[in-house]
Amino acid sequence: MGLFPNVFLDEANGFYDAYSLAKYGVDSHLIKFPIYLQSYAGQGQSILLAYISILFFKLFGFSLFSFRLSLVVVAIVAILFTCYTLNQYYSKFLAPVMLSLCSAPYLTVEARYGMDCNISLWISLIIINCLLIGIKAKRPLIPITLFYIFCGILAYSYNVAWIYLAFSIVSISILLYKEKIIVPKVIILGFMLLSIEILPIVIFAIRSNIRFFNRTIRFGIFTIPELPMSRANASFIDFHGNVLKNILNNVFSGFRMLFLTSDGLTWNSLPNFNAYYPFAIIIFIIGLYWVLKNYKSIEAKALIILLLCNIPIWLIVQPNYNHWIFTHIPILLTIGVGIKILEKVIPYKYLYGVYLLFFLLFSHAYFTMPRYTGFDISSIKNVKYIRKVSEGSNVYFDGNDRNLLLVIRDFSGISPYEFQRTKDNPYSRKRLLFYNNMANYHKVNTESNIRKGELFLTTNRNISKKEFKLQKSNIYIGDTLYCLYRRIN
């Protein structure tokens, strides 16, 4: 237990869908070229990370390491791209902005998890780099076109991006036109490319939120899936009662979460460190003051727009570090500006020393503080061990962990075709959850008859030694400790 991070349930299911797409060409629900994943319960997951990880599966094999590596590589590319942009055009901000980005607790934490939404942070950073290069370059056509293309890619990274993009793309386009960075033809080209890119996800967003249209359909080679379960109640504020009060409470608790406390999700954050360290609010205010004071600069205007385009999210989306993910990069860039301003009055060795001290404190706390960061990662090797020793014979199980079969499915290497054929409610598109049967796994009941040679995975340690032989003890699967027995007569 004590390993950080362990495996989060959404991450595990994203891994299985990515594995299915890479090896079999369909997701876990046998859908070809999905533009969104139904996930294990029909609540949905974004597709971008799954598609990116296919290349890493092909190169490094089908493992959680390969899946997580895809996110790490994108993060590294985004950081190196930022280094290039700053060094080329804004060299005086290179060190402070890199300090702000690379030491931020939340960015450090989320880069270690293969969560579907985490990829959106790094894609948004790439987008900002394309924009900044386009502003400075003598020939802005290519970087600005890439800006629009990556905005389209971002739409497939997280559903909150739909709100953010709706405001940011229009606002930035107006800014580029007014500042005469590009001619209208380039903006029109960008919007045409963007429209082609996002059309499938726009259709999905509309259909999935209207019950009558929420059906699985084909769109060219792509599939727009039905989403049986909505996450709206977990994502948006309560629109009943005093809505204005709910909005104000949402904004207040959100900024307190960012700067003063944490989001309370132990896999995202640690108490006392928040997203950017406790002292960062002062540096942010200093940086924001400088940005507002230099408003005539097109870069300052762009940064303010990127901040303000989060207002709809701040107002109606319940705050946690994932939900407010598009807030982080503009804030960290502003903090980087604040660090640069402070260098004029505080020797940089003291300023950078404080950051180093807090980063070391955070790193120590991250690897030592007991907390829940997902189910035990040893489950992966335990699932593979059971599959090996069972040799295809039945494995019966007891216990009350309703996620047991999910964990086994995600890491046992079974095909999505076998999964759909053998699970509770085979091939059902309405009843997706499964608790009793899958592949050669069966939950024990009054009618179960465990035969000689078959396995029994149980939380009960008082098993008859005359009938069963202990195969292996202390097996963690998910969050539950089991013993594995084999029927001997």
Side-chain angles (χ1 to χ4, degrees):
M1 296 295 287
L3 294 175
F4 304 106
N6 273 294
V7 186
F8 203 74
L9 191 62
D10 285 348
E11 179 187 32
N13 285 278
F15 164 78
Y16 183 70
D17 272 315
Y19 158 80
S20 299
L21 287 166
K23 191 168 184 178
Y24 299 97
V26 295
D27 69 5
S28 59
H29 299 285
L30 308 184
I31 295 175
K32 293 183 178 180
F33 297 110
I35 56 94
Y36 206 80
L37 297 170
Q38 288 181 319
S39 194
Y40 63 96
Q43 80 280 22
Q45 284 183 284
S46 300
I47 192 66
L48 181 61
L49 181 60
Y51 279 141
I52 291 174
S53 66
I54 290 175
L55 172 62
F56 291 84
F57 285 144
K58 299 295 185 182
L59 291 174
F60 303 107
F62 299 102
S63 67
L64 183 64
F65 169 81
S66 300
F67 187 62
R68 287 177 169 176
L69 183 63
S70 60
L71 178 65
V72 171
V73 169
V74 173
I76 291 172
V77 169
I79 289 294
L80 291 177
F81 190 19
T82 306
C83 287
Y84 166 80
T85 303
L86 294 174
N87 185 60
Q88 190 77 10
Y89 301 106
Y90 308 94
S91 57
K92 66 179 182 180
F93 290 104
L94 175 59
V97 170
M98 284 296 102
L99 178 66
S100 174
L101 289 172
C102 296
S103 68
Y106 174 63
L107 269 64
T108 303
V109 169
E110 65 86 35
R112 292 172 56 81
Y113 262 124
M115 300 281 281
D116 61 304
C117 63
N118 289 353
I119 194 74
S120 60
L121 191 144
W122 304 111
I123 300 298
S124 66
L125 182 56
I126 290 173
I127 288 170
I128 292 172
N129 279 282
C130 292
L131 175 62
L132 291 175
I133 293 174
I135 289 171
K136 285 291 189 179
K138 293 180 179 180
R139 296 181 179 179
L141 175 61
I142 293 177
I144 295 302
T145 302
L146 288 173
F147 164 80
Y148 285 104
I149 290 173
F150 275 102
C151 282
I153 292 172
L154 187 67
Y156 294 86
S157 69
Y158 194 27
N159 56 8
V160 178
W162 308 338
I163 301 173
Y164 180 70
L165 287 171
F167 292 90
S168 60
I169 294 174
V170 173
S171 301
I172 292 295
S173 297
I174 293 172
L175 175 66
L176 294 173
Y177 171 73
K178 286 188 173 182
E179 296 290 333
K180 299 180 180 179
I181 300 297
I182 50 176
V183 297
K185 288 182 180 179
V186 177
I187 296 177
I188 294 171
L189 173 64
F191 269 96
M192 288 176 61
L193 293 172
L194 178 66
S195 299
I196 294 170
E197 267 189 288
I198 68 173
L199 183 58
I201 200 71
V202 168
I203 294 173
F204 166 77
I206 295 171
R207 293 181 66 91
S208 64
N209 286 286
I210 301 175
R211 182 175 298 180
F212 179 78
F213 292 110
N214 189 19
R215 299 290 185 272
T216 298
I217 64 169
R218 294 297 300 272
F219 185 83
I221 65 169
F222 300 102
T223 303
I224 297 173
E226 176 183 354
L227 205 62
M229 184 181 296
S230 173
R231 280 186 172 180
N233 292 335
S235 301
F236 295 100
I237 65 169
D238 184 4
F239 289 100
H240 300 90
N242 192 331
V243 177
L244 179 59
K245 181 180 178 182
N246 293 341
I247 289 174
L248 292 175
N249 287 339
N250 202 65
V251 174
F252 174 77
S253 61
F255 277 90
R256 183 180 60 184
M257 164 198 77
L258 291 175
F259 289 106
L260 300 177
T261 57
S262 73
D263 68 350
L265 304 179
T266 53
W267 52 92
N268 267 353
S269 58
L270 296 178
N272 304 319
F273 285 100
N274 60 59
Y276 327 113
Y277 302 121
F279 55 82
I281 187 170
I282 299 172
I283 305 177
F284 172 73
I285 292 171
I286 293 170
L288 185 61
Y289 172 78
W290 186 92
V291 171
L292 293 172
K293 186 178 179 181
N294 292 270
Y295 181 71
K296 291 184 179 180
S297 162
I298 184 172
E299 291 87 356
K301 291 177 182 177
L303 185 53
I304 291 170
I305 287 172
L306 293 173
L307 273 170
L308 295 183
C309 285
N310 281 281
I311 287 178
I313 296 173
W314 299 340
L315 295 179
I316 65 172
V317 177
Q318 293 183 21
N320 65 46
Y321 290 168
N322 302 126
H323 287 173
W324 284 26
I325 202 165
F326 300 106
T327 302
H328 298 297
I329 296 298
I331 285 181
L332 287 166
L333 292 176
T334 306
I335 289 173
V337 173
I339 294 172
K340 180 60 183 176
I341 303 306
L342 280 177
E343 286 180 357
K344 297 178 181 179
V345 294
I346 301 175
Y348 77 91
K349 61 183 179 180
Y350 297 123
L351 194 57
Y352 285 52
V354 170
Y355 262 97
L356 176 60
L357 174 62
F358 271 83
F359 183 74
L360 292 174
L361 291 172
F362 165 75
S363 299
H364 179 265
Y366 178 82
F367 288 107
T368 58
M369 183 180 292
R371 64 198 185 280
Y372 175 78
T373 60
F375 64 78
D376 196 274
I377 200 167
S378 66
S379 300
I380 298 174
K381 65 178 182 180
N382 290 333
V383 166
K384 292 179 178 179
Y385 169 79
I386 295 173
R387 184 171 179 83
K388 180 180 179 180
V389 299
S390 70
E391 297 179 335
S393 63
N394 287 329
V395 180
Y396 291 87
F397 63 92
D398 63 9
N400 298 315
D401 185 356
R402 293 172 70 83
N403 292 325
L404 173 65
L405 286 184
L406 274 171
V407 177
I408 291 171
R409 181 204 68 170
D410 293 343
F411 296 106
S412 63
I414 70 168
S415 76
Y417 296 100
E418 182 184 0
F419 161 62
Q420 285 293 333
R421 179 174 54 83
T422 58
K423 71 180 180 71
D424 299 350
N425 308 301
Y427 302 106
S428 175
R429 294 297 176 90
K430 300 293 183 182
R431 302 173 67 184
L432 304 183
L433 293 173
F434 53 101
Y435 306 118
N436 302 304
N437 299 286
M438 184 210 65
N440 58 324
Y441 286 82
H442 309 281
K443 188 170 184 176
V444 294
N445 55 47
T446 55
E447 298 179 359
S448 297
N449 180 23
I450 305 177
R451 298 177 179 178
K452 184 178 180 179
E454 295 180 330
L455 298 175
F456 183 29
L457 188 66
T458 177
T459 56
N460 182 9
R461 293 175 178 268
N462 298 317
I463 299 295
S464 172
K465 294 182 179 180
K466 294 181 179 180
E467 298 179 79
F468 291 91
K469 177 184 177 182
L470 180 64
Q471 183 82 32
K472 190 175 182 180
S473 61
N474 299 328
I475 298 178
Y476 267 112
I477 301 181
D479 295 317
T480 306
L481 188 62
Y482 296 91
C483 288
L484 181 66
Y485 292 87
R486 186 181 295 275
R487 185 74 185 248
I488 55 178
N489 60 46

